[in-house]
């Protein structure tokens, strides 16, 4: 590289290769991508607002400050890979950035989408690893776990198996993994009459793959709370993962395949006026913000129609709080009345506010003793990996300290994966707002597990 090329000024304005649309041929052109990456690095080098989130920006700034004397031209392909690999898609830099398409800024910078583009382009030239095949499809993992008749849960708690899994699959041996439920959520919902033969209802619950296979109690609590408030709620059988795990690894076809199935199942309800309520902010973010530009052809149009109907479950319940049907007859409150609330990153990315926290405040005697805005560091599958486990704990430290500093016996978070991260690294598992509200309605003990609160065992299927 000549000195003249090295010192050539990089414009902040979009290059001809700017696109975040995988249906655009430029998206997949390495040279077009390289120009946009270089432009983004130059903008971020001159701004530096996003120094405190993931390791991507500190890694970039360290390269420029210590090795390349501020010259973005000198960053190598390997350097770029290292910076991009440190991003775990919390989206907080996009929330913070003043130069985004959302803000209508001429720079049109969306760093998380640029990372996804880089990952997708690179994935096209690499075979899928065993880890990617395992993590990309949570529904398949859930089905296989049920076929094991409980062995998967035992194995996940057995040290020799976890060491073997770390060496073969790349999942960290110390990562706390969620239990697999013996019965999928939609099978329980069908038995309880929530699955109807004809589309309709006021709302449809998108339970997410985590509730479907790991913690069905969250979905059951959401149904209980909605029904208690006079909401005609339905469950659709056969929904698939929103596709975020696949997209983390650049698997566009996996995302499109899963989204196509979900659109087929959900749109008949939406076309009859139903809202789609989601219990995990990552999934609602995917459906609202990612599907409309990731999908192609007719599915893109269908995704836009669906996105307009998607709401966080607490967001919907908050919207009816002033209606006569809203039920404020809570029977119990958390010990001491204090609740510490963690605001999930992907809820912040949707800019809908913290309605779960606001609903919790409606329980008589409850005060929110702290609202923690820091990222917990789990971020999809990142914290599960060998290379992500330690950084995720370090990045989440401020969130852990913030929740502890709130001095509340009860913690809450809308994100079930964040709850696992807090349980492992801070010693207390936050409750989903729907679970907290359901317990307050039923007069249950907030300090017990869901099964204990009902007087049953963890494997009783969650029957109420």
């Amino acid at each position: 590289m000549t000195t003249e090329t090295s010192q050539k000024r990089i414009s902040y304005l979009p290059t001809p290769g700017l696109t975040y649309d995988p249906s655009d041929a430029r998206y997949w052109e390495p040279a077009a991508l390289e120009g946009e990456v270089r432009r983004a690095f130059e903008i971020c080098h001159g701004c530096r607002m996003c120094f405190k989130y993931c390791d991507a920006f500190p890694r970039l700034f360290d390269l420029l400050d210590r090795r390349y004397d501020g010259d973005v031209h000198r960053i190598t392909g390997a350097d770029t890979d290292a910076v991009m690999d440190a991003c775990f898609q919390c989206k907080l830099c996009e929330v913070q950035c003043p130069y985004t398409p959302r803000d209508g800024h001429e720079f049109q910078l969306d760093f998380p989408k640029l990372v996804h583009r880089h990952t997708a382009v690179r994935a096209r030239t690499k075979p899928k690893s065993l880890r990617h095949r395992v993590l990309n499809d949570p529904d398949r993992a859930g089905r296989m776990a049920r076929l094991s008749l409980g062995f998967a849960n035992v194995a996940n708690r057995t040290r020799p198996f976890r060491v073997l899994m770390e060496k073969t699959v790349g999942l960290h041996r110390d990562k706390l993994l969620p239990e697999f439920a013996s019965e999928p959520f939609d099978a329980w919902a069908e038995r309880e009459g929530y699955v109807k033969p004809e589309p309709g209802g006021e709302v449809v619950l998108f339970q997410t793959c985590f509730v479907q296979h790991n913690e069905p109690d969250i979905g059951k609590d959401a149904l209980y709370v909605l029904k208690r408030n006079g909401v005609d709620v339905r469950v659709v059988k056969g929904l698939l993962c929103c596709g975020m795990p696949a997209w983390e690894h650049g698997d566009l076809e996996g995302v499109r395949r899963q989204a196509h199935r979900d659109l087929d199942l959900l749109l008949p309800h939406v076309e009859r006026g139903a809202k789609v309520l989601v219990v995990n902010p990552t999934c609602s973010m995917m459906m609202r913000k990612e599907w409309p530009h990731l999908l192609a052809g007719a599915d893109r149009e269908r995704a836009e129609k669906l996105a307009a109907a998607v709401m966080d479950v607490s967001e919907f319940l908050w919207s009816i709080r002033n209606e006569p049907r809203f039920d404020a007859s809570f029977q119990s409150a958390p010990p001491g009345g204090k609740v510490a609330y963690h605001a999930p990153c992907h809820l912040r990315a949707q800019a809908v506010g913290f309605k779960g926290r606001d609903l919790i405040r409606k329980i008589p005697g409850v005060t929110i003793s702290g609202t923690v805005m820091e990222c917990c560091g789990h971020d999809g599958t990142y914290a599960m990996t060998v290379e992500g486990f330690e950084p995720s704990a370090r990045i989440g430290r401020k969130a852990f300290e913030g929740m502890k500093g709130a001095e509340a016996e009860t913690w809450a978070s809308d994100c079930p994966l964040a709850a696992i991260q807090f349980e492992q690294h801070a010693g207390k598992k936050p409750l989903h707002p729907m679970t907290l509200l359901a317990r307050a309605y039923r007069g249950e003990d907030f300090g017990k597990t869901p099964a204990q609160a009902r007087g049953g065992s963890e494997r009783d299927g969650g029957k109420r």
Side-chain angles (χ1 to χ4, degrees):
M1 181 181 296
T2 65
T3 302
E4 181 181 355
T5 303
S6 177
Q7 294 177 349
K8 184 178 179 182
R9 179 181 176 273
I10 300 172
S11 172
Y12 283 6
L13 295 175
T15 71
L18 170 65
T19 180
Y20 302 116
D21 181 357
S23 296
D24 185 331
R26 293 174 300 166
Y27 188 94
W28 303 101
E29 294 175 3
L33 170 61
E34 182 182 356
E36 271 300 295
V37 168
R38 187 182 294 116
R39 179 180 80 95
F41 284 179
E42 184 74 9
I43 293 172
C44 295
H45 171 42
C47 176
R48 303 211 173 193
M49 288 180 68
C50 299
F51 63 90
K52 68 172 187 175
Y53 301 125
C54 67
D55 285 343
F57 296 104
R59 193 168 290 181
L60 172 64
F61 301 150
D62 188 67
L63 285 168
L64 290 169
D65 293 345
R66 297 176 181 272
R67 189 180 301 178
Y68 298 136
D69 194 28
D71 188 352
V72 171
H73 285 291
R74 296 169 61 187
I75 291 178
T76 67
D79 294 333
T80 297
D81 288 347
V83 170
M84 298 306 202
D85 287 345
C87 169
F88 46 63
Q89 293 293 330
C90 71
K91 307 288 187 181
L92 292 183
C93 66
E94 193 274 338
V95 173
Q96 179 81 4
C97 180
Y99 308 127
T100 65
R102 172 160 46 176
D103 295 315
H105 197 278
E106 62 179 340
F107 294 168
Q108 296 290 291
L109 177 62
D110 190 322
F111 195 87
K113 278 188 169 61
L114 184 64
V115 173
H116 270 316
R117 180 181 175 185
H118 177 273
T119 303
V121 170
R122 187 170 50 166
R124 276 196 162 184
T125 62
K126 296 172 61 177
K128 288 183 182 179
S129 67
L130 176 59
R131 182 170 78 187
H132 291 174
R133 292 181 185 277
V134 170
L135 295 181
N136 282 13
D137 193 346
D139 295 304
R140 179 170 57 190
R143 291 192 298 269
M144 295 297 292
R146 280 191 295 278
L147 289 174
S148 76
L149 301 177
F151 174 76
N153 289 332
V154 174
N156 283 344
R157 296 191 296 267
T158 303
R159 190 66 174 180
F161 179 83
R162 291 299 301 272
V163 172
L164 176 64
M165 190 158 62
E166 179 179 281
K167 294 183 180 298
T168 57
V169 183
L171 300 184
H172 198 284
R173 66 185 67 182
D174 294 326
K175 179 67 180 76
L176 180 63
L177 298 177
E179 294 270 306
F180 289 101
S182 59
E183 180 184 40
F185 170 78
D186 63 6
W188 173 89
E190 183 176 37
R191 196 171 62 249
E192 296 295 314
Y194 287 101
V195 179
K196 306 292 185 182
E198 296 294 330
E202 182 180 4
V203 304
V204 174
L205 188 71
F206 186 88
Q207 68 267 25
T208 77
C209 59
F210 187 85
V211 168
Q212 173 75 353
H213 303 295
N214 300 107
E215 289 197 28
D217 285 304
I218 296 175
K220 295 171 185 178
D221 287 333
L223 292 176
Y224 176 85
V225 171
L226 290 167
K227 194 171 181 180
R228 179 106 180 198
N229 284 276
V231 180
D232 179 8
V233 56
R234 309 284 180 87
V235 172
V236 177
K237 195 169 184 182
L239 292 170
L240 298 179
C241 172
C242 70
M244 174 56 92
W247 192 223
E248 283 180 323
H249 303 118
D251 182 5
L252 179 61
E253 293 311 309
V255 177
R256 288 177 169 178
R257 183 177 60 253
Q258 291 166 319
H260 179 83
R261 167 72 171 173
D262 289 338
L263 287 168
D264 283 348
L265 293 172
L266 292 171
L267 270 180
H269 296 268
V270 171
E271 288 167 349
R272 287 162 175 78
K275 297 292 186 182
V276 177
L277 307 189
V278 188
V279 295
N280 187 332
T282 297
C283 306
S284 56
M285 181 194 70
M286 279 293 291
M287 298 165 77
R288 268 175 162 158
K289 295 172 66 69
E290 303 291 345
W291 284 9
H293 84 271
L294 291 179
L295 306 189
D299 274 356
R300 176 169 292 194
E301 295 178 8
R302 298 203 301 159
E304 291 171 353
K305 183 181 294 186
L306 180 74
V310 170
M311 300 182 76
D312 175 81
V313 63
S314 295
E315 179 189 3
F316 173 82
L317 193 61
W318 181 256
S319 74
I320 67 169
R321 70 192 183 283
N322 293 324
E323 296 181 16
R325 59 175 166 169
F326 184 83
D327 187 353
S329 59
F330 299 104
Q331 303 300 313
S332 62
K338 292 183 178 180
V339 175
Y341 174 80
H342 171 252
C345 302
H346 290 168
L347 196 61
R348 294 178 62 187
Q350 296 176 70
V352 297
F354 309 133
K355 307 309 183 189
R357 178 199 63 182
D358 298 338
L359 287 167
I360 292 167
R361 284 190 173 124
K362 286 192 166 291
I363 302 173
V366 167
T367 58
I368 302 297
S369 59
T371 297
V372 174
M373 306 283 279
E374 301 289 346
C375 177
C376 75
H378 196 293
D379 293 285
T381 61
Y382 179 76
M384 300 180 181
T385 64
V386 170
E387 68 274 17
F389 179 77
E390 295 294 343
S392 77
R394 170 173 47 78
I395 290 165
R397 190 173 299 128
K398 288 184 179 179
F400 309 148
E401 293 172 352
M403 293 293 274
K404 290 178 180 178
E407 298 182 346
E409 290 191 40
T410 301
W411 293 2
S413 177
D414 306 83
C415 179
L417 290 181
I420 295 174
Q421 184 82 333
F422 281 108
E423 181 180 13
Q424 175 155 27
H425 297 295
K428 186 188 293 287
K429 185 175 183 178
L431 300 174
H432 193 281
M434 291 299 106
T435 294
L436 216 158
L437 292 172
R439 292 189 182 187
Y441 280 133
R442 294 192 294 256
E444 292 174 352
D445 188 334
F446 286 81
K448 295 182 178 180
T449 66
Q452 289 171 337
R454 294 189 304 274
S457 69
E458 286 290 352
R459 303 184 186 278
D460 68 356
K463 295 178 181 177
R464 301 206 180 283

